[in-house]
Amino acid sequence: AKAQGRNRFSYFTPGLQTAALARLRMTNDLRTAIAENSLRVYFQPIVDIHSGKIQKAEALVRWLHPQRGFISPMEFIPIAETSGLIIAIGDLVFREALCWVRKWRELYRPDFQISINQSPVEFQGDQERYINWIHELALQNLPGQAISVEITEGLLLDASQKITSKLLQFRDAGIQVALDDFGTGYSSLSYLKKFDIDYLKIDQSFVRNLATDASDIVLPEAIIMMAHKLDLKVIAEGVETQQQHDLLKQAGCDFAQGYLFSKPLPPEEFEMLLQRQKT
Ligand code: C2E
Ligand code: CA
Ligand code: CA
Ligand code: CA
C-alpha cells in the first residue's frame, strides 16, 4: 500500500491525520472539484400518482472524486455549508437544472418542473442571489413554475423578515416551494398556514414501514388530509414497493418519488424515461 504513494489517501485514516485535517483536505478537494467541473447533477423522477406520468424531477448533486469514487452529498454538503462552497454548488445545480428543464418542457412536457434543494445555510444567505436566479429564468424565457425550491421545516421556525421576504420573492416570480423531509423536524403546523408553501414532501421514514404494519398509514393519511385542507399537494419520498405506492394512492397522496420508479439518473438517462412515456 505504501508503494502506491502519497496520492492514495483516505480522508479518515485514524492516526494518519486528525479529523480536522481530513475536513480541510476535503474542503480543498471540493473547491477543486467545483473549479474543474467535476460535480454532476442527477435527476430523480417525481410521478403523478394517479396518471403515472413523470411530472417533475428532483435535482441531486453528485461528486465523482478521482480517488474515492462517488462521495455522498450527506458527506460533503455539511462541509460545503461550513466552508461557504454551498453557494457555488447551489448555483451550479440551478444552472444545470435550468438547461435541462428548458429542453424537457420543449420536447416532452410543457409543464415539467425541476426541484432544487436549498440547505438552510444557503437559503439564509444573500438575497441578491435569488434575484439573479429569477433574472436567469426570464432570460431563458422560462416561467417561475419551471422550478421549485425544497426547504426544510426548521427554517420556518425562524420566522425572520429575511426568510419571509425570500418566500414572497419566490411567490412573486412563480417559483414554487416544497417543504422537504416533512414530519422529521419540528412539524411546525401553524407555519404551514402562515407561509405560502405549495408542496409537502412526506419523509421516507413514514413510507418505509407502510406495508409491514397496517396502522402505519394513519400518519401519512392525516398529513395528506391536513395538507389538502391547506391547499398543498403532497409528494411521498422513498417509495420503493408497489404496495407502498398503492397505500399512498388510496390515502389521497398526489405524487410519489422513489426507487420503485427510478434511482436518480444522469440527465441523458433521465431523458430516456421521458421519451419512453411520450409514446
Ligand atoms: P433529500 O433532499 O431528502 O433527497 C432524497 C434522498 O433520498 C436522495 O439521496 C435520494 O437518492 C434518496 N432516495 C430517493 N428515493 C429513494 C428510495 O426509494 N429509497 C431510499 N432509501 N432512498 C431514496 P441523496 O441523493 O444521497 O441526497 C441526500 C441528501 O443530500 C438530500 O436529501 C439533500 O438533503 C442533500 N442534497 C442532495 N443534493 C443537494 C443539492 O444540490 N443541494 C443541497 N443543498 N442539498 C443536496
Ligand atoms: Ca429534497
Ligand atoms: Ca427529503
Ligand atoms: Ca400555495
Side-chain angles (χ1 to χ4, degrees):
K2 224 171 195 166
Q4 286 175 322
R6 284 160 50 88
N7 290 330
R8 300 278 299 188
F9 64 88
S10 146
Y11 282 110
F12 299 110
T13 307
L16 201 65
Q17 49 199 350
T18 64
L21 232 103
R23 287 176 68 90
L24 190 65
R25 188 158 201 179
M26 199 175 184
T27 307
N28 284 329
D29 280 11
L30 188 54
R31 189 172 287 117
T32 307
I34 294 166
E36 292 177 349
N37 217 2
S38 49
L39 295 188
R40 295 283 167 270
V41 182
Y42 277 34
F43 296 95
Q44 187 177 35
I46 300 175
V47 173
D48 179 319
I49 223 168
H50 300 288
S51 72
K53 291 225 163 192
I54 302 171
Q55 285 294 354
K56 308 170 190 297
E58 178 174 3
L60 294 157
V61 71
R62 298 285 177 267
W63 179 10
L64 185 55
H65 189 281
Q67 277 90 35
R68 293 185 58 198
F70 276 108
I71 302 178
S72 163
M74 308 269 243
E75 198 176 333
F76 70 83
I77 292 288
I79 282 168
E81 287 180 333
T82 49
S83 62
L85 291 172
I86 191 72
I87 300 295
I89 293 175
D91 284 346
L92 175 160
V93 172
F94 172 76
R95 280 196 306 272
E96 193 73 8
L98 222 56
C99 153
W100 290 103
V101 79
R102 188 177 171 200
K103 183 177 185 205
W104 294 338
R105 285 169 76 98
E106 255 169 45
L107 288 181
Y108 309 103
R109 274 209 225 316
D111 55 352
F112 196 75
Q113 182 180 67
I114 293 180
S115 68
I116 296 167
N117 290 284
Q118 288 297 287
S119 79
V121 176
E122 61 182 318
F123 190 82
Q124 281 164 312
D126 185 10
Q127 184 134 9
E128 193 76 21
R129 178 168 178 250
Y130 293 132
I131 295 174
N132 291 335
W133 283 23
I134 291 162
H135 188 61
E136 196 55 43
L137 277 162
L139 278 179
Q140 304 237 8
N141 250 323
L142 283 165
Q145 290 93 313
I147 292 293
S148 75
V149 167
E150 299 192 6
I151 59 172
T152 46
E153 291 169 79
L155 213 51
L156 301 185
L157 278 182
D158 168 25
S160 71
Q161 186 54 43
K162 260 178 112 180
I163 306 269
T164 316
S165 63
K166 274 180 192 142
L167 289 170
L168 281 174
Q169 191 184 17
F170 283 141
R171 196 185 60 184
D172 289 345
I175 295 173
Q176 295 196 303
V177 177
L179 208 50
D180 206 356
D181 307 331
F182 187 78
T184 57
Y186 310 88
S187 299
S188 35
L189 298 183
S190 60
Y191 294 103
L192 284 183
K193 217 177 123 201
K194 188 163 159 208
F195 296 106
D196 198 14
I197 307 283
D198 300 287
Y199 303 98
L200 274 196
K201 296 192 79 171
I202 299 184
D203 189 68
Q204 325 199 346
S205 57
F206 293 99
V207 175
R208 201 166 297 134
N209 298 318
L210 273 187
T212 56
D213 187 338
S215 69
D216 282 344
I217 192 66
V218 170
L219 274 174
E221 220 164 36
I223 294 172
I224 291 162
M225 222 179 320
M226 175 202 67
H228 285 168
K229 285 228 162 93
L230 293 170
D231 203 25
L232 282 95
K233 299 268 188 218
V234 181
I235 302 169
E237 294 191 289
V239 179
E240 294 183 351
T241 70
Q242 189 64 42
Q243 208 173 0
Q244 291 166 343
H245 171 273
D246 294 347
L247 284 165
L248 288 159
K249 185 176 175 180
Q250 234 167 43
C253 190
D254 304 286
F255 296 94
Q257 175 183 359
Y259 296 166
L260 175 63
F261 306 104
S262 170
K263 295 197 169 184
L265 297 171
E268 295 78 7
E269 284 176 47
F270 181 90
E271 185 166 335
M272 290 198 272
L273 295 182
L274 285 178
Q275 220 159 26
R276 209 180 306 151
Q277 273 204 344
K278 204 189 177 182
T279 51

